[in-house]
Amino acid sequence: MNHDCAAASPSNAGGPARLTVLVGPTAVGKGTIVAELRRRHPDLFVSISATTRAPRSTETDGVHYHFVSPEAFDELVAQDQMLEWATVHGTHRYGTPRGPVEAQLASGRPALLEIDLDGARQVRRSMPQAQMVFVAPPSWEELVARLEGRGTEDSRERERRLATARVELDAAAEFDHIITNDTVARATDELESLMGLTG
Ligand SMILES: Nc1nc2c(ncn2[C@@H]2O[C@H](COP(=O)(O)OP(=O)(O)O)[C@@H](O)[C@H]2O)c(=O)[nH]1
Ligand SMILES: Nc1ncnc2c1ncn2[C@@H]1O[C@H](COP(=O)(O)OP(=O)(O)O)[C@@H](O)[C@H]1O
């Protein structure tokens, strides 16, 4: 585990880390940080996951996720079109379409995945050169406040997500780097640096 932003980590062996995998508990601010990173780097490739969950009012199909039916998701898995996939929070399935990520990496340009712990472990096995980054909250209380403040889940779903969050926080030590999302600007600076997007 490495808390600093050193350019040379084991995950960089063989060249600059091109694939970065971002994991963190619900409502820690992953989406917010990725949005800020994209604002700074409009051309950055961020994988668009497929999911069987319904879109939130703020989400657009093909932009935030590919919203697909369970049958369509089955088909993608059967055709080996998923780089990884997992059932998250015990309910819906989420997965990374393989083709766009492989094409991006083949072109030598960086790629970012924002996925759950189970999916990240799959990627670490299949692509050990990937750089694994964990986003942590400043405190448990702040995480709960952000989840409630977002207001997108009912209390039952929030409880489910917080149960998953405890498991994810316990796994933070598995990651190459931990970014604490205290302020969006500072956390984004750190991710930008880890991805080699500065300067
Ligand atoms: N394994 C996997 N997890 C994903 C993927 N896309 C999103 N997730 C994870 O699914 C979880 C739920 O995402 P979402 O429903 O958007 O809720 P939120 O994290 O609370 O905003 C998060 O931990 C995401 O990182 C994916 O392609 N694969
Ligand atoms: N550094 C931060 N300080 C305060 N609130 C934050 C911060 N980062 C994100 N948030 C807020 O927390 C909530 C959850 O953020 P979101 O990006 O949806 O999390 P995630 O994608 O990890 O589930 C949102 O309401 C967002 O505006």
Side-chain angles (χ1 to χ4, degrees):
M1 180 172 46
N2 191 343
H3 286 267
D4 65 26
C5 299
S9 73
S11 57
N12 286 358
R18 297 286 88 181
L19 178 63
T20 300
V21 178
L22 196 66
V23 174
T26 186
V28 71
K30 304 176 298 295
T32 305
I33 293 168
V34 171
E36 171 60 13
L37 193 65
R38 294 180 89 153
R39 193 189 63 74
R40 297 183 191 182
H41 304 278
D43 295 335
L44 178 67
F45 175 89
V46 182
S47 169
I48 302 171
S49 299
T51 181
T52 58
R53 88 149 158 75
R56 297 176 184 145
S57 60
T58 53
E59 292 174 331
T60 307
D61 188 32
V63 176
H64 299 94
Y65 283 105
H66 299 291
F67 295 98
V68 300
S69 66
E71 296 72 24
F73 199 99
D74 286 342
E75 192 63 21
L76 289 167
V77 172
Q79 293 174 353
D80 196 28
Q81 288 186 39
M82 290 301 198
L83 182 62
E84 59 73 35
W85 69 273
T87 301
V88 183
H89 306 308
T91 42
H92 295 294
R93 285 176 292 164
Y94 297 75
T96 304
R98 180 190 296 283
V101 177
E102 289 185 348
Q104 180 71 10
L105 295 175
S107 75
R109 284 169 298 175
L112 180 63
L113 308 185
E114 193 246 284
I115 61 178
D116 88 321
L117 179 62
D118 184 350
R121 287 171 171 161
Q122 294 173 45
V123 174
R124 192 177 49 196
R125 283 195 293 274
S126 62
M127 295 182 159
Q129 76 282 10
Q131 160 168 259
M132 315 300 283
V133 179
F134 190 85
V135 184
S139 67
W140 177 259
E141 291 70 26
E142 175 64 16
L143 184 70
V144 174
R146 287 183 191 175
L147 180 61
E148 287 177 357
R150 188 172 66 188
T152 46
E153 286 82 22
D154 63 24
S155 64
R156 195 188 153 114
E157 178 62 24
R158 288 202 300 271
E159 282 310 314
R160 215 191 328 256
R161 283 168 183 256
L162 289 172
T164 308
R166 289 190 189 280
V167 175
E168 290 164 333
L169 289 167
D170 283 347
E174 291 176 25
F175 286 74
D176 299 317
H177 304 275
I178 298 178
I179 295 175
T180 299
N181 181 18
D182 41 16
T183 72
V184 176
R186 204 206 55 75
T188 308
D189 287 350
E190 221 174 309
L191 181 59
E192 193 175 40
S193 170
L194 287 173
M195 292 187 71
L197 299 172
T198 47

Short mmCIF file of all heavy atoms in Angstrom, two decimals, residues 26 30 49 53 56 65 84 86 88-89 94-96 114-116 119 150 161, ligand 1:
data_model
loop_
_atom_site.label_atom_id
_atom_site.label_comp_id
_atom_site.label_asym_id
_atom_site.label_seq_id
_atom_site.Cartn_x
_atom_site.Cartn_y
_atom_site.Cartn_z
N THR A 26 -19.90 3.18 -1.49
CA THR A 26 -21.00 3.99 -1.98
C THR A 26 -20.92 5.42 -1.45
O THR A 26 -20.60 5.64 -0.28
CB THR A 26 -22.35 3.34 -1.54
OG1 THR A 26 -23.43 4.05 -2.15
CG2 THR A 26 -22.53 3.34 -0.04
N LYS A 30 -16.80 8.88 -5.78
CA LYS A 30 -16.09 8.40 -6.98
C LYS A 30 -16.60 9.10 -8.24
O LYS A 30 -15.82 9.59 -9.06
CB LYS A 30 -16.27 6.87 -7.15
CG LYS A 30 -15.83 6.05 -5.97
CD LYS A 30 -16.13 4.58 -6.16
CE LYS A 30 -17.58 4.20 -6.31
NZ LYS A 30 -18.43 4.46 -5.12
N SER A 49 -19.84 1.35 -18.03
CA SER A 49 -20.26 0.01 -17.63
C SER A 49 -21.67 -0.29 -18.14
O SER A 49 -22.47 0.62 -18.35
CB SER A 49 -20.28 -0.08 -16.11
OG SER A 49 -18.99 0.15 -15.59
N ARG A 53 -29.35 -2.19 -13.35
CA ARG A 53 -30.18 -1.32 -12.51
C ARG A 53 -30.82 -0.22 -13.34
O ARG A 53 -30.37 0.11 -14.43
CB ARG A 53 -29.38 -0.78 -11.31
CG ARG A 53 -28.63 0.50 -11.54
CD ARG A 53 -28.54 1.32 -10.22
NE ARG A 53 -27.45 2.28 -10.20
CZ ARG A 53 -27.46 3.44 -10.86
NH1 ARG A 53 -28.46 3.75 -11.66
NH2 ARG A 53 -26.44 4.26 -10.75
N ARG A 56 -30.95 6.63 -12.66
CA ARG A 56 -31.43 7.71 -11.80
C ARG A 56 -31.86 8.86 -12.70
O ARG A 56 -31.48 8.92 -13.87
CB ARG A 56 -30.30 8.19 -10.87
CG ARG A 56 -29.84 7.12 -9.92
CD ARG A 56 -28.63 7.58 -9.08
NE ARG A 56 -28.15 6.49 -8.25
CZ ARG A 56 -26.87 6.27 -7.93
NH1 ARG A 56 -25.93 7.09 -8.38
NH2 ARG A 56 -26.54 5.25 -7.19
N TYR A 65 -24.06 5.00 -17.84
CA TYR A 65 -24.05 3.54 -17.94
C TYR A 65 -24.75 3.16 -19.25
O TYR A 65 -25.49 3.96 -19.83
CB TYR A 65 -24.89 2.92 -16.80
CG TYR A 65 -24.24 2.87 -15.44
CD1 TYR A 65 -24.61 3.75 -14.43
CD2 TYR A 65 -23.27 1.92 -15.15
CE1 TYR A 65 -24.03 3.69 -13.16
CE2 TYR A 65 -22.68 1.85 -13.88
CZ TYR A 65 -23.06 2.74 -12.90
OH TYR A 65 -22.48 2.68 -11.65
N GLU A 84 -14.87 -7.89 -16.86
CA GLU A 84 -15.22 -8.36 -15.51
C GLU A 84 -16.68 -8.03 -15.31
O GLU A 84 -17.22 -7.15 -15.97
CB GLU A 84 -14.35 -7.69 -14.44
CG GLU A 84 -14.43 -6.17 -14.39
CD GLU A 84 -15.72 -5.62 -13.82
OE1 GLU A 84 -16.28 -6.23 -12.90
OE2 GLU A 84 -16.19 -4.56 -14.30
N ALA A 86 -19.90 -8.21 -11.89
CA ALA A 86 -20.24 -8.63 -10.53
C ALA A 86 -21.68 -8.24 -10.22
O ALA A 86 -22.23 -7.32 -10.82
CB ALA A 86 -19.29 -7.95 -9.54
N VAL A 88 -23.67 -6.43 -7.52
CA VAL A 88 -23.27 -5.45 -6.50
C VAL A 88 -24.44 -5.18 -5.56
O VAL A 88 -25.58 -5.08 -6.00
CB VAL A 88 -22.79 -4.15 -7.18
CG1 VAL A 88 -22.30 -3.15 -6.14
CG2 VAL A 88 -21.68 -4.43 -8.19
N HIS A 89 -24.13 -5.05 -4.28
CA HIS A 89 -25.13 -4.83 -3.23
C HIS A 89 -26.19 -5.93 -3.24
O HIS A 89 -27.34 -5.69 -2.85
CB HIS A 89 -25.81 -3.45 -3.39
CG HIS A 89 -24.86 -2.30 -3.45
ND1 HIS A 89 -23.89 -2.08 -2.50
CD2 HIS A 89 -24.72 -1.31 -4.37
CE1 HIS A 89 -23.20 -0.99 -2.83
NE2 HIS A 89 -23.67 -0.52 -3.95
N TYR A 94 -23.37 -5.46 -12.75
CA TYR A 94 -22.62 -4.38 -13.40
C TYR A 94 -21.41 -5.03 -14.07
O TYR A 94 -20.79 -5.92 -13.49
CB TYR A 94 -22.08 -3.38 -12.37
CG TYR A 94 -23.09 -2.61 -11.56
CD1 TYR A 94 -23.80 -3.22 -10.53
CD2 TYR A 94 -23.32 -1.27 -11.80
CE1 TYR A 94 -24.71 -2.50 -9.76
CE2 TYR A 94 -24.22 -0.53 -11.04
CZ TYR A 94 -24.91 -1.16 -10.03
OH TYR A 94 -25.80 -0.45 -9.27
N GLY A 95 -21.03 -4.56 -15.23
CA GLY A 95 -19.86 -5.13 -15.88
C GLY A 95 -19.19 -4.15 -16.83
O GLY A 95 -19.80 -3.18 -17.29
N THR A 96 -17.90 -4.42 -17.09
CA THR A 96 -17.10 -3.56 -17.98
C THR A 96 -17.04 -4.18 -19.36
O THR A 96 -16.46 -5.26 -19.53
CB THR A 96 -15.65 -3.46 -17.44
OG1 THR A 96 -15.69 -2.98 -16.10
CG2 THR A 96 -14.81 -2.55 -18.31
N GLU A 114 -14.23 2.53 -13.08
CA GLU A 114 -14.78 2.77 -11.75
C GLU A 114 -15.72 1.62 -11.47
O GLU A 114 -16.83 1.56 -12.02
CB GLU A 114 -15.50 4.12 -11.74
CG GLU A 114 -15.83 4.61 -10.35
CD GLU A 114 -17.31 4.67 -10.11
OE1 GLU A 114 -17.97 5.60 -10.60
OE2 GLU A 114 -17.83 3.76 -9.41
N ILE A 115 -15.24 0.67 -10.65
CA ILE A 115 -15.98 -0.59 -10.48
C ILE A 115 -15.96 -1.01 -9.01
O ILE A 115 -15.34 -0.35 -8.18
CB ILE A 115 -15.38 -1.71 -11.37
CG1 ILE A 115 -13.93 -1.98 -11.02
CG2 ILE A 115 -15.53 -1.33 -12.85
CD1 ILE A 115 -13.30 -3.12 -11.84
N ASP A 116 -16.64 -2.12 -8.69
CA ASP A 116 -16.69 -2.55 -7.29
C ASP A 116 -15.49 -3.44 -6.95
O ASP A 116 -14.67 -3.77 -7.81
CB ASP A 116 -18.02 -3.23 -6.98
CG ASP A 116 -18.00 -4.70 -7.27
OD1 ASP A 116 -17.38 -5.11 -8.29
OD2 ASP A 116 -18.56 -5.48 -6.48
N GLY A 119 -15.16 -6.80 -8.84
CA GLY A 119 -14.69 -6.58 -10.20
C GLY A 119 -13.22 -6.20 -10.24
O GLY A 119 -12.46 -6.65 -11.11
N ARG A 150 -27.11 12.70 -0.83
CA ARG A 150 -27.35 12.49 -2.27
C ARG A 150 -28.83 12.22 -2.53
O ARG A 150 -29.36 12.62 -3.56
CB ARG A 150 -26.49 11.33 -2.78
CG ARG A 150 -26.55 11.19 -4.28
CD ARG A 150 -25.54 10.18 -4.79
NE ARG A 150 -25.86 8.83 -4.34
CZ ARG A 150 -25.07 7.77 -4.51
NH1 ARG A 150 -23.91 7.92 -5.12
NH2 ARG A 150 -25.43 6.59 -4.09
N ARG A 161 -26.27 -0.69 1.08
CA ARG A 161 -25.03 -0.12 0.54
C ARG A 161 -23.99 0.11 1.65
O ARG A 161 -22.80 -0.07 1.43
CB ARG A 161 -25.33 1.19 -0.20
CG ARG A 161 -25.92 0.92 -1.56
CD ARG A 161 -26.51 2.14 -2.21
NE ARG A 161 -27.10 1.74 -3.47
CZ ARG A 161 -26.56 1.97 -4.66
NH1 ARG A 161 -25.44 2.64 -4.76
NH2 ARG A 161 -27.14 1.55 -5.76
N1 LIG B 1 -17.82 -4.90 -11.01
C1 LIG B 1 -18.32 -3.75 -11.47
N2 LIG B 1 -18.82 -2.84 -10.63
C2 LIG B 1 -19.29 -1.69 -11.15
C3 LIG B 1 -19.28 -1.42 -12.54
N3 LIG B 1 -19.83 -0.19 -12.73
C4 LIG B 1 -20.15 0.28 -11.53
N4 LIG B 1 -19.83 -0.61 -10.56
C5 LIG B 1 -19.99 -0.47 -9.11
O1 LIG B 1 -21.32 -0.66 -8.73
C6 LIG B 1 -21.54 0.01 -7.50
C7 LIG B 1 -22.89 0.69 -7.51
O2 LIG B 1 -22.85 1.73 -8.45
P1 LIG B 1 -24.07 2.72 -8.54
O3 LIG B 1 -25.35 1.95 -8.62
O4 LIG B 1 -23.79 3.70 -9.64
O5 LIG B 1 -24.13 3.42 -7.10
P2 LIG B 1 -23.15 4.40 -6.32
O6 LIG B 1 -21.77 3.81 -6.30
O7 LIG B 1 -23.75 4.45 -4.95
O8 LIG B 1 -23.21 5.71 -7.06
C8 LIG B 1 -20.33 0.92 -7.28
O9 LIG B 1 -19.47 0.31 -6.31
C9 LIG B 1 -19.67 0.94 -8.63
O10 LIG B 1 -18.27 1.13 -8.51
C10 LIG B 1 -18.72 -2.41 -13.40
O11 LIG B 1 -18.65 -2.27 -14.62
N5 LIG B 1 -18.27 -3.54 -12.82
#
